[in-house]
Amino acid sequence: MPGRTCRLDAPAKINLHLEVEDRRADGYHNLISIFLAVSFGDTLVIEENGAGGTTAITMERETGLSGGDDLAALPPEKNLVFRAVELFREKTRYNRDLAIRLIKRVPAGGGLGGGSSDAAAVLRALNVLAGAGYGRDDLAALSACLGSDVPFFMYGGAALVTGRGEIMRPLDVPAPLCFVMVTPRFGSSTARAFALLDAARGRAGGNAGYGDAGYGDGPRAHHGDYLARALGAEPSSWPFYNDFLPVLAGEQDGIYPRMMGELHAAGAAFTGLSGSGSSCFGVFPPGTAARRAAARLKKHGFFVQTTIFLASMPDPMLQ
Ligand code: C5P
């Protein structure tokens, strides 16, 4: 007899701004980033069964595109959804058998946080199913070991994200924002992008970020205030950028500058790279411009998605 079922959407994210500071002693980098949740994402359906502690995951891919790693081909211990379940079981001794359907729409390796959002969604759903009573902060702290982007998805909306990705300050988004997200037919490895950035900075003689000794936290906080204020300005005057763009710009025959150029030509007020690639995005005024831009970019063979800023995370639905 099947038990309860929980259905939950797992929104993707866009990095409007992504500054990478120096490499830390633990190998990670401190970041200063603006994360925005968007209305496009994956869906998880979690069915509770007996009390054997088993986890079965099936994946359906709705889009024709697979970016990098295909989840189905991954060994379970590398699958973030599986690892999230194991982590939750460890913490709570929850032992119901789980059948998880993962409806994937977000391209893998695309810098849109698909896998991270799925992992966060599983923890949020299990929290409800198991009646564990964790708050958002508890879940964010618990999820940090799964990946640097996971804690953001416990809050969603817009946030200034610092530290390794675990320090969150909510931001106001004053105007409705409409995005066209463009993903090429390949994924980009985060670890590789960080290594390329370190190598480029090593050749250039290092990077004097806010994480450098002697700066303290004052300038970093001022910088955060500056970025938060900038979000209120017209997108065409945003000062945001992504530190990975210069190191990835020459890859794949310059596909990143080309995607951004196409978005600009199609009327985007601002364009950027999300995460460490491979997706780029354009910001459009609400209306038909975004749809026209999407149609134009699809002709180039990219995976293209039109979406809007999502102010609050969807709640798990028990059936
Ligand atoms: O945390 P996550 O597993 O997503 O990170 C993947 C890789 O990206 C890490 O192993 C690390 O090399 C790099 N990374 C980093 N600094 C961050 C986040 C990720 O150096 N803040």
Side-chain angles (χ1 to χ4, degrees):
M1 246 303 264
R4 292 176 307 167
T5 297
C6 184
R7 190 185 172 92
L8 182 55
D9 289 331
K13 59 90 173 159
I14 279 172
N15 296 95
L16 221 45
H17 178 76
L18 179 48
E19 256 172 273
V20 181
E21 300 185 279
D22 284 359
R23 196 162 182 270
R24 317 187 315 186
D26 64 4
Y28 286 91
H29 296 71
N30 283 313
L31 309 173
I32 304 178
S33 184
I34 296 178
F35 277 58
L36 296 181
V38 294
S39 62
F40 166 73
D42 297 338
T43 300
L44 288 102
V45 184
I46 304 177
E47 191 186 284
E48 252 185 352
N49 290 307
T54 63
T55 306
I57 302 173
T58 54
M59 191 189 72
E60 298 153 37
R61 202 174 274 284
E62 260 196 8
T63 62
L65 182 119
S66 148
D69 287 338
D70 197 85
L71 190 66
L74 281 179
E77 66 277 9
K78 290 222 171 147
N79 175 333
L80 265 193
V81 168
F82 184 84
R83 286 178 46 209
V85 173
E86 292 298 289
L87 178 67
F88 189 82
R89 289 195 193 281
E90 234 170 73
K91 291 282 170 202
T92 61
R93 311 211 166 278
Y94 172 76
N95 72 341
R96 299 296 300 262
D97 294 316
L98 294 173
I100 302 178
R101 259 180 73 207
L102 183 50
I103 302 154
K104 287 295 286 179
R105 301 184 189 93
V106 181
L112 302 173
S116 301
S117 187
D118 295 342
V122 162
L123 290 176
R124 293 176 67 227
L126 293 183
N127 189 36
V128 172
L129 281 169
Y134 288 127
R136 279 201 295 197
D137 293 349
D138 303 322
L139 289 174
L142 178 68
S143 70
C145 67
L146 295 171
S148 307
D149 286 351
V150 186
F152 165 74
F153 291 104
M154 297 303 174
Y155 305 93
L160 183 75
V161 175
T162 54
R164 193 196 123 186
E166 78 288 14
I167 305 171
M168 226 84 43
R169 165 176 160 191
L171 295 176
D172 277 337
V173 175
L177 293 175
C178 182
F179 299 95
V180 175
M181 308 191 304
V182 187
T183 310
R185 297 194 170 268
F186 60 87
S188 172
S189 150
T190 303
R192 175 177 175 270
F194 273 103
L196 286 174
L197 184 60
D198 284 343
R201 284 177 173 176
R203 285 192 300 274
N207 163 57
Y210 292 91
D212 281 10
Y215 278 82
D217 271 347
R220 186 184 278 141
H222 278 305
H223 187 54
D225 290 342
Y226 162 74
L227 292 172
R229 269 197 311 276
L231 191 53
E234 282 296 311
S236 58
S237 64
W238 280 347
F240 307 140
Y241 60 87
N242 184 322
D243 271 335
F244 288 114
L245 188 58
V247 291
L248 296 176
E251 302 221 319
Q252 307 268 348
D253 298 323
I255 196 166
Y256 294 110
R258 260 195 290 137
M259 288 192 292
M260 289 169 65
E262 285 290 340
L263 284 163
H264 261 306
F270 178 85
T271 63
L273 175 75
S274 190
S276 50
S278 59
S279 302
C280 291
F281 61 89
V283 179
F284 288 83
T288 54
R291 273 204 302 281
R292 275 205 305 273
R296 179 173 163 158
L297 276 135
K298 272 182 195 157
K299 287 192 191 135
H300 292 266
F302 300 126
F303 170 70
V304 183
Q305 188 66 42
T306 303
T307 189
I308 56 170
F309 167 60
L310 185 69
S312 60
M313 290 299 269
D315 283 324
M317 284 189 301
L318 274 183
Q319 287 160 356

